[in-house]
Structure formats: C-alpha cells, structure tokens
Amino acid sequence: MRIRKEEKSAIIQGTIGLLAMLGVIYLSTTVDYPVISAPARQAMYLLAGLAYGAVAFAVFAQGWMLFTDKLSRQRLYSAVLFFVVGTLDVLHIATFSGVSLFGFMPGYTISAWFMLLSHLIGAAGMLFIFSVPDKQVSVRHKAAVFSMSAVLLLVGITLLYNYQPQLPHLLGNQALGTTKQAMWIGIPFLYALGIFTILYRYRKERPPAALTVVSALLFMMIGHILITTADPLGTGIAHVSGEWFMSFSYYYVLKGVYRLTIEEPFRGQQLAEAQMMYMAYHDDLTNLPNLRRLKEQLAVHLAPESRARLCTGVVVMNINRFKAINDSFGYRAGDQLLTEVGARLSRRCLPEEGVYRMNEDEFAIIIPEYSDPRAIEIRALQLLQSIDPSVTIEGTEYHISLSMGLSIFPNDGNSVDQIIQNADMAVHNGKEQGLEFMRYTPAIKNQTQSRIELENDMRKGLDREEFFLEFQPQVSLDNGHVVGMEALVRWNHPRRGLLSPGEFIPVAEDSGLIVPLGEWVLRTACCYNKKWQDDGYDPICVSVNLSMRQFRQHNLVDKIDEILREVGLEAKYLELEVTESMTFDIDTAFDQLQRLKRLGVHISIDDFGTGYSSLYYLKTLPIDRLKIDRSFVKEVMLDGSGAAIVSTITMMAHHLKLKVTAEGVENQEQLEFLKLQNCHEGQGYLFSKPLPAGLFERRFLTRIAG
C-alpha cells in the first residue's frame, strides 16, 4: 500500500513527538540539569496559558462564527469543547503561576484539579466527537449545545470554588496523590482510543485533515504524560514541556478541524461543481464538448471584436446509416463507433479548430477565421477525406461513410443558432440527394421547411383518413392466375394532391410516424382481404411491408395477432415483407421471425439481393419467399450480370425450398426469361400497375363457383 505525502508527514510528526518526550524524560530524571528559576518558569507558564487561551478561542471562533450556515456537528462540538477546555486551562495555568482569577486561591492543588478536568473532558470529548457520524446541524441545535455547555461549565467552576478547602483532601497530600494512577492510565487511554477511532473510521480515504487530528491527539497524550509524571518543583523541564506540547496539540486541533469540516468539504464542493460543469459542457460517451459548448465557443468567434472581417465555418458531420448499424448490431457497437469517429475527428483537427458532439450521430467542427470562404470549403473537404472509413468493432471490420454540411459566417447567417442550424440542414439535404458534402444555400431552408410541413400534415392526415391503399396483383408464371396481392399505401394530400410513397415514406421513417402508418396499412389491408372473402371471392394472400421500426418493436407479434383476431382474417392469408437489413442482428431477427411464424403468417424477404444477407443465416431463417429486386429484373435482357444474379437467386431459392417472386416485370422478354428460370410468381406493370381497391376487385378477383 503506497504511503502518501500527508501520511508520511503525520508519521514524522508523531515520531519526533515521541522522541522529544523520551528525551525530555531522560533529561529531567538522569541528567544533572539546573533547575529553571521561578520567574522564568512563571513566564513560561503564563506564555503557555496565553497560547492555550488563544488557540482554544480560535477553535471556538471557527465553529461559532465562520460559515454558520453550513455548520457541522464535528465543528460545533469542537468549538464548544474547546470553549470549556480553554477556560479550564487558563484557570489551571493562572492558579499554578500564582495568579488569582475569579476568587480562586493560587496553588498547585486547585491547579491540578483544573488540569485534571481539562484533560479528562478534552480526551473524552475528542473521542466522542470523532466517533459519531458528522452531519449538518441547525442554528437551534447550536444554541442549545452552547447554552448547556456554558451552564455545566459555570456549575462546575462554582462547585470547585465552593469546595476549595476540601480539594487537597480529595487529591491527597502529595502532588496528585490517590488520583495519580487514574490520570496516568485513564486519560492517555482515552487519547489512544480516539486515535484508533479516527484511523479506523477514515481507513479507506485517509484524508489529511483526519491525520492532523491524530497528530493533535498524540501531542495531547504526550503533553499529559509529561505533566503528570514530572515533579513541577524539580527542574521544571518536563512540566513546562508538557504544557507546551498541550498548546501545540490545540493548534493541530484547530488546523485539523478546520480542514476536516471546512476546507475539505469546500474542496469537495468545488470538485463536485467542476464535475457538474464538465458534465454540462461535455458528452458523457465521447468526452467531446457538446452543443452548449459549441454555441459558447462559436459566439466568441462571431463577437464583433473577434471578427476582423474574417469568415468562420461550422461543419456538421453525420454517420450514414447509423440507425441501421445501431439497430442491427446493438447499442454497444453504436457507442464504440461514435467514440472512434469522435477520436478520429479530434486527431485530424488543427489546434485552433474544435470537435463537438451535437446529438446521437452528429458531430460539429468549428473552422475559424479564414479570409476566403472558399478556403473554409477546401479545409472542410480535407477533413472529410482524411477520415479512415475502416472501423473495427468487436473484432469485425466495417466500412462507414460520413456526410458533411457546411455553413459560413457571415455569408450563410449572422447568428450562432443560424450558422449551426444551416449546417445541419445542409448535411441532411445532402444525404437525401446522395451527396457526401453540401454547402448551405437558401434553397435548402425552403426544402427543410417543406419537409417539416409535410410531417405536420402527415400527423393530421392519419386522423383525417387522407391515406388509402392500392393493390398490385402477384401472378403465377405457370398459369397466369392471380395468387396474391401487395398492399401499397398512397396519400391524397388536400393541397398537394396525390403524393408518391417516395415523397412521404422517408419523412415518416425519420419522424417515427412510420409505426402508426404501418399499423394502419396492416389493419386496412386485412380488412379488405376479409371483406372480399366474405363477399365470395377466392381467398388469396395479401402482402404488407414492415418497416425497420415496426420490426424492432417488442410487441409486434401481439399487435398483429390482435389485428387478425379483430378483423377475423386467418393468419395464412397475410404475408409480411421484411428487408435484408432487418436481419443484420441475426439473433434478434431469428427470434422475431420465429414468433411471427408461430402466428401462422407467411414471411418474405423484399428487394432480395440489394442487402448483405449471409447465405448461411438465410437457410436458418423461418421465411417462405424471396422477392427479387426490380433492379435485377430490369437488367436481365440488357446485362449478363443481372441475368446471372436472377438465375442464381432462383436456383438457390429452389434448393432452399422457398418461393420466388420477381418484382418490376415490365415486358414479355423479362417474363419469358423468368419462366425459363422456374420463377414462381411475377409482379409488375406487365400485369398491372397498383390499383384502387374497387378497381382491383373488378379486374382481378374471381368469385368462388357456387
């Protein structure tokens, strides 16, 4: 166990004190040393008494007068204790030195009584004070303790005054007489017990203040031993030394109590405030400065006295597909990715630049004080290109990409909030357009406002029933019969007219509205299918897409089961379409899919071939169908690679005993190729575009022969 500097100091002080005690005892008992003259001895005693009184009053003052709004029990009790002890010590020195105070006759006997009471009360009081838990006390408690102590002190002094003639008989005729052994053993034992109590109580943290109090108790013990073992009428060396040891110990009490009850709590409070300040201005995951600090620092750069006609840029960087990574691999992997990206950005920044974490997956960088805005753009692109895209998370290497938005003061805004907001708008607009870098322009603001308006309109549209479904048939390539249908959501906006899914689905996904919208689609599609069955049409399966947010819901299975029961549709007439990205976290995906299969619904993987599904995991997933993405079907007659991919997917599906549906079938040549590959079903404009429910019913549903 390493000994700290404060502990070494306490050990050295204690060792010196013990050696000094032994030396004084040796000199006073074995060395022929001249007796200290009476005037010199009296002067020394009076000085010691002055020191007693001064230090005791200082201990009392710091507990009674300083920081009274945060008065602790240890500090209050120490103040009252030394008010009592200091009074008794002054009386002890005065009567021993031949000075009459408060009517007490000078002499050794009464002086010994004052000393006995002082040491006994001091030892017992210190033991009690540092044995009980410390806590803050009220002003009423303070007044009560002081009043009680003052009354007890007054009663004790009055009793001593009234019984002065009997005191010599109580102590005996010689020195301390019959009480000498009790004082020799009892009071040092109390001091030693106090030392042990403090060391045991603070055995873990061992604060310097507690060690100072230990030194004080040790010096009290040494002073008491020297006073009670010495012949005051002999050489006087031991007795005087004992008195001065006691006065030194009081100084250490003053110092220790101050540090323990005032200085260290104050430093602890400062440390806590500093920690709170750090937490208020830093991100707890990456330890980077946060948005609050970003605004403060940017305000400094944009201040009129700092501008000097220079430009300052703010870059906002976003990790592409971070939500998919977080959802697929878990929050721990996402946290590691954020920490690593933050560290890499910090290493690439210049000393005058700064990196900040704004929110979940966004970082900001201040690029200050360039004379040319173009130079800021060049520097921003340098930062973007300098980040290594290869990241290792839990032993696996991944490649990430970043998007960057930039706004420059004063060109793109004249306030802190404007500059940050415009850079944030630029990065999101760039991501929508598939660009890794974008500088803010006024047109971006208009697009962002339009997106916000669309989100607000979508919330209202769900309540106003502005959404409706269209159905696209799924046709068997063997006989041309309709064997299924896919439900597709449409929005008839009251002002903008009919909006395509590409316009509002991304907004719904970003805002979280995809969950209530997806639930509405699922319920409505099941209602239509059940109605058509009740109307006597041949029962077929309806396919509904699940979003990533829906798929990650822990109560998804319960919701689907509730809808099927409410509508009365058998589970075998519902097919749920998931994407490959939902299967990144294979354990979670497998568990969710197994629970869905137990309901009896069918499951297909939509847009197969565009993701990163592992073929090994694919054979273990409880799925029924693969839907070949339209991009591959489109290229089967134009590109040998596209044809090879479609052929491979179809062959693999047959081996895995899965159904295969080709999306985006638009011409006869594509259809003939798919038939040659033994593809089971097709879906696309060659058969029909998505149709409203009524038109789909008339064109493609066939009544059961009765």
Side-chain angles (χ1 to χ4, degrees), residues 302-329:
L302 303 191
E305 61 272 15
S306 303
R307 294 175 187 174
R309 298 183 179 179
L310 296 176
C311 299
T312 294
V314 171
V315 162
V316 173
M317 300 187 73
N318 190 285
I319 303 174
N320 296 328
R321 301 184 71 252
F322 177 75
K323 288 184 179 179
I325 296 171
N326 217 17
D327 291 339
S328 301
F329 299 107

Side-chain angles (χ1 to χ4, degrees), residues 288-290 342 345-347 349 353-357 363-366:
L288 292 174
N290 58 16
L345 289 172
S346 298
R347 290 194 294 267
C349 281
E353 298 169 346
V355 182
Y356 307 82
R357 186 184 176 196
F363 298 86
I365 301 173
I366 295 178

Side-chain angles (χ1 to χ4, degrees), residues 95-155:
T95 54
F96 186 81
S97 303
V99 178
S100 177
L101 285 179
F102 306 118
F104 286 100
M105 298 301 296
Y108 180 73
T109 301
I110 190 65
S111 173
W113 268 101
F114 284 130
M115 179 193 69
L116 169 63
L117 292 175
S118 170
H119 289 195
L120 184 62
I121 293 172
M126 292 290 284
L127 175 61
F128 170 76
I129 289 170
F130 292 99
S131 297
V132 297
D134 194 21
K135 66 178 183 180
Q136 198 162 335
V137 295
S138 64
V139 176
R140 182 179 298 178
H141 184 81
K142 169 186 173 182
V145 169
F146 179 75
S147 300
M148 185 184 302
S149 302
V151 169
L152 291 175
L153 177 62
L154 183 61
V155 170

Side-chain angles (χ1 to χ4, degrees), residues 340-646:
E340 180 60 27
V341 171
R344 292 185 182 185
L345 289 172
S346 298
R347 290 194 294 267
R348 296 300 179 187
C349 281
L350 299 175
E352 63 270 18
E353 298 169 346
V355 182
Y356 307 82
R357 186 184 176 196
M358 289 182 59
N359 52 39
E360 184 180 32
D361 64 330
E362 284 189 343
F363 298 86
I365 301 173
I366 295 178
I367 305 177
E369 299 177 358
Y370 280 75
S371 58
D372 183 8
R374 178 57 185 164
I376 295 180
E377 289 190 33
I378 295 173
R379 174 57 187 156
L381 285 169
Q382 286 177 347
L383 282 170
L384 180 62
Q385 295 164 2
S386 67
I387 303 302
D388 184 1
S390 177
V391 178
T392 300
I393 301 176
E394 297 183 350
T396 304
E397 185 175 341
Y398 301 95
H399 281 74
I400 63 168
S401 61
L402 302 175
S403 295
M404 176 182 283
L406 170 67
S407 67
I408 300 175
F409 173 87
N411 307 58
D412 303 330
N414 55 16
S415 70
V416 169
D417 289 335
Q418 258 190 338
I419 294 296
I420 297 174
Q421 182 181 1
N422 291 347
D424 193 49
M425 282 193 289
V427 69
H428 287 289
N429 190 268
K431 289 183 69 171
E432 291 175 8
Q433 300 183 35
L435 302 175
E436 66 173 8
F437 175 82
M438 177 164 285
R439 165 87 183 273
Y440 171 80
T441 61
I444 293 176
K445 185 174 183 179
N446 296 332
Q447 294 175 13
T448 303
Q449 290 176 341
S450 176
R451 186 183 182 92
I452 294 173
E453 290 175 3
L454 193 65
E455 179 183 330
N456 291 332
D457 291 344
M458 189 180 299
R459 296 180 189 277
K460 299 174 184 176
L462 283 169
D463 296 331
R464 297 172 180 173
E465 299 182 352
E466 296 171 0
F467 293 90
F468 65 95
L469 293 185
E470 290 187 340
F471 296 88
Q472 189 171 34
Q474 296 167 340
V475 179
S476 170
L477 300 190
D478 289 335
N479 53 32
H481 292 164
V482 175
V483 293
M485 54 186 170
E486 181 177 2
L488 301 166
V489 64
R490 301 291 185 261
W491 185 9
N492 187 14
H493 194 279
R495 296 190 311 277
R496 304 186 187 187
L498 188 63
L499 298 180
S500 68
E503 292 180 82
F504 65 85
I505 291 296
V507 177
E509 290 176 342
D510 290 343
S511 64
L513 290 172
I514 194 67
V515 173
L517 179 61
E519 188 175 334
W520 178 88
V521 171
L522 182 64
R523 186 184 303 275
T524 306
C526 289
C527 286
Y528 273 116
N529 204 11
K530 175 61 177 172
K531 176 182 178 301
W532 286 329
Q533 290 181 17
D534 292 343
D535 289 345
Y537 292 108
D538 284 337
I540 58 175
C541 193
V542 62
S543 298
V544 177
N545 288 281
L546 288 181
S547 69
M548 173 69 84
R549 284 179 181 260
Q550 284 179 284
F551 187 72
R552 300 289 293 184
Q553 285 182 295
H554 69 278
N555 60 343
L556 173 65
V557 177
D558 295 332
K559 283 189 176 182
I560 294 176
D561 185 42
E562 179 186 342
I563 290 173
L564 290 172
R565 291 177 182 275
E566 180 183 319
V567 173
L569 181 69
E570 293 183 58
K572 65 181 179 180
Y573 295 117
L574 173 64
E575 180 170 288
L576 301 174
E577 298 186 7
V578 301
T579 61
E580 288 182 85
S581 61
M582 298 181 193
T583 64
F584 279 167
D585 185 351
I586 189 65
D587 294 330
T588 302
F590 185 81
D591 178 65
Q592 188 79 299
L593 293 175
Q594 282 280 31
R595 294 170 62 208
L596 289 170
K597 283 297 293 180
R598 284 195 287 269
L599 283 181
V601 301
H602 300 286
I603 299 174
S604 66
I605 294 187
D606 193 21
D607 300 335
F608 186 77
T610 60
Y612 305 94
S613 292
S614 166
L615 296 182
Y616 174 78
Y617 289 132
L618 186 62
K619 72 177 184 179
T620 66
L621 292 175
I623 59 176
D624 304 288
R625 181 187 308 275
L626 299 180
K627 297 189 73 174
I628 303 175
D629 185 66
R630 65 183 67 250
S631 61
F632 299 126
V633 175
K634 182 179 181 180
E635 297 174 353
V636 293
M637 306 307 298
L638 305 174
D639 184 355
S641 298
I645 291 173
V646 172

